[in-house]
Amino acid sequence: MNCDPIITTLEKIVSLHDSVAEPAGEHILNVLLTKNLASILSLPEEVTFTSIADVPQSVFVTYHSELLNKLSDLLSAKGQIANLGVKFNGHLKTTGFEKILAEKLVPQNGLIRFLTAQPEITRYILCNVAYTANADEKKVGLVSFIINEITRVTPVDIGEALFWESDKFSLDDLEIPLAIPDNELLTLIEEQSSVLIGESLDNWQAKLTRARVRDEERLKAYYNTISSEIRLKIELKHLLEREKDKEIARIEATERELSRKLLDIKERYAMSVEAWLHSAMIIHLPTVHIQCELQRKKAKRVVTAVWNPFTKIIEPLRCEVTGEAVYNFYLDDLEAKIISPTVWKK
């Protein structure tokens, strides 16, 4: 997995615009651009990007590069949505799930009972969220994640479902409203993108924090020295009344100046982030829906678990308190709500 943030960003953006990107090391990306994208970027269709200097026959990219500014402009588009179907060339079994279900989904204080299993289409929402971050420099990026429409779990893995082009087919003429209410979907997207964007900016944020602390310490040392010298002057010269008040006023002015400078430093190293949903793809996958009953004391409810043939696993359920994916969970007494062990209180 590529960990260079610039190369990772480039790979995601060019792939999003129907171009082919292939990492050739941590800091190098070989790309085959579409004719249209190559024209927009003023580059040949076959090009190598690098985030380190002195790589022959390559385009050196930094966060200050004009190239990244052009790609940032491409990310400014919002709200592009496509529907995609995927074929599964195999048999979707509907038996043998009783044991798998009992082993995979485990209520710690209740029961789970298998009811039925039927082949069904599950829609997965692939979200591409673009962002720009500004501090002492500007960075652009893109995070992607998938939401399961049935379970609301995100991020979820769909394996190699999108690997074979021959198995994909367009469903852009299909208009079926999502089962997730708009406000709930928006919350899921905002929360998950916030986590992923935060993770992608962790190293930069740590660097900014170190620089801010360094500058604050230097500033405090300088102004504290001035204040100490004034206090020493008052003591050595035995200043009284008006002369002493004058020097004390200088100390107070020095402290006010220090506070103002510290505020300037805080603002200088503060990071602001703007994010938006660049595009989304609703992926229709053949899966198996497993109806199961959860029971805690007298509380019972039926939930749907999803078996994905592309990953060959039963996907996790979603904690109804934190939103995290869970295989082991607790049930509350009133409605048998699913609650993660991380927040469960007896």
Side-chain angles (χ1 to χ4, degrees):
M1 182 177 177
N2 207 305
C3 59
D4 185 296
I6 294 179
I7 295 300
T8 300
T9 298
L10 287 170
E11 181 181 2
K12 288 182 177 180
I13 296 175
V14 299
S15 298
L16 196 62
H17 289 82
D18 300 322
S19 299
V20 179
E22 182 68 33
E26 184 179 352
H27 303 285
I28 300 174
L29 185 70
N30 294 323
V31 175
L32 179 61
L33 300 171
T34 63
K35 185 175 294 185
N36 182 53
L37 187 56
S39 176
I40 293 173
L41 300 178
S42 302
L43 291 172
E45 292 181 26
E46 292 189 34
V47 63
T48 296
F49 296 130
T50 177
S51 59
I52 54 176
D54 303 323
V55 176
Q57 299 179 326
S58 68
V59 177
F60 176 49
V61 185
T62 70
Y63 279 112
H64 302 289
S65 300
E66 180 62 25
L67 171 66
L68 217 57
N69 289 332
K70 290 181 179 180
L71 290 170
S72 179
D73 291 339
L74 290 176
L75 287 178
S76 63
K78 301 179 182 180
Q80 303 175 44
I81 300 177
N83 277 278
L84 182 73
V86 178
K87 294 184 293 185
F88 176 66
N89 299 313
H91 173 68
L92 288 175
K93 64 177 184 176
T94 57
T95 59
F97 285 110
E98 294 93 334
K99 182 179 179 182
I100 299 174
L101 185 72
E103 292 175 348
K104 199 69 174 176
L105 298 174
V106 184
Q108 300 295 309
N109 64 340
L111 301 173
I112 185 167
R113 184 178 298 108
F114 170 84
L115 298 177
T116 62
Q118 294 294 331
E120 296 284 352
I121 295 296
T122 300
R123 293 189 294 185
Y124 293 83
I125 308 160
L126 170 60
C127 302
N128 298 303
V129 177
Y131 67 89
T132 58
N134 289 281
D136 57 343
E137 58 183 343
K138 176 182 177 181
K139 295 190 176 185
V140 300
L142 185 79
V143 295
S144 301
F145 53 92
I146 295 174
I147 303 169
N148 182 315
E149 180 191 25
I150 299 297
T151 63
R152 274 56 163 180
V153 170
T154 184
V156 66
D157 179 25
I158 60 172
E160 296 184 349
L162 302 179
F163 186 78
W164 300 104
E165 289 295 329
S166 58
D167 290 339
K168 302 176 189 176
F169 55 95
S170 175
L171 290 171
D172 283 338
D173 294 333
L174 189 64
E175 294 186 6
I176 302 176
L178 290 171
I180 308 177
D182 289 347
N183 60 336
E184 185 179 344
L185 179 59
L186 181 60
T187 298
L188 288 174
I189 294 172
E190 288 179 345
E191 290 177 349
Q192 186 57 33
S193 60
S194 177
V195 170
L196 295 178
I197 291 171
E199 290 175 353
S200 69
L201 295 173
D202 273 348
N203 289 339
W204 189 27
Q205 183 66 73
K207 177 184 175 183
L208 290 172
T209 300
R210 289 193 298 269
R212 176 178 57 79
V213 171
R214 178 201 64 207
D215 287 359
E216 286 176 344
E217 290 176 348
R218 289 175 178 174
L219 202 63
K220 290 175 182 178
Y222 173 74
Y223 279 95
N224 288 341
T225 297
I226 294 175
S227 296
S228 296
E229 289 175 350
I230 296 173
R231 291 189 180 91
L232 183 61
K233 176 182 178 181
I234 293 173
E235 182 180 345
L236 292 177
K237 293 190 175 184
H238 305 290
L239 298 180
L240 300 171
E241 297 178 356
R242 184 179 299 176
E243 291 298 321
K244 182 178 180 180
D245 291 342
K246 180 179 177 182
E247 297 303 320
I248 290 175
R250 286 182 60 200
I251 293 174
E252 293 172 349
T254 300
E255 291 174 346
R256 288 194 298 272
E257 181 70 6
L258 172 60
S259 297
R260 187 183 66 80
K261 290 289 183 69
L262 288 173
L263 184 59
D264 289 343
I265 288 176
K266 183 178 180 180
E267 291 176 352
R268 183 192 313 162
Y269 291 109
M271 182 190 297
S272 63
V273 180
E274 180 184 3
W276 59 95
L277 180 63
H278 171 270
S279 57
M281 180 181 292
I282 301 173
I283 305 165
H284 300 242
L285 292 188
T287 60
V288 176
H289 286 188
I290 305 168
Q291 299 295 314
C292 49
E293 182 182 69
L294 300 177
Q295 181 175 355
R296 165 67 176 164
K297 296 183 179 178
K298 293 183 179 180
K300 294 181 180 181
R301 64 187 290 211
V302 176
V303 298
T304 301
V306 177
W307 184 79
N308 186 336
F310 297 95
T311 58
K312 294 183 171 27
I313 63 169
I314 293 178
E315 295 181 3
L317 298 176
R318 182 172 183 264
C319 171
E320 293 170 88
V321 176
T322 65
E324 63 188 288
V326 292
Y327 280 112
N328 295 281
F329 51 88
Y330 289 87
L331 302 173
D332 82 334
D333 293 345
L334 297 178
E335 300 176 353
K337 284 186 176 180
I338 299 168
I339 302 176
S340 166
T342 59
V343 294
W344 171 255
K345 294 181 180 179
K346 295 182 180 180

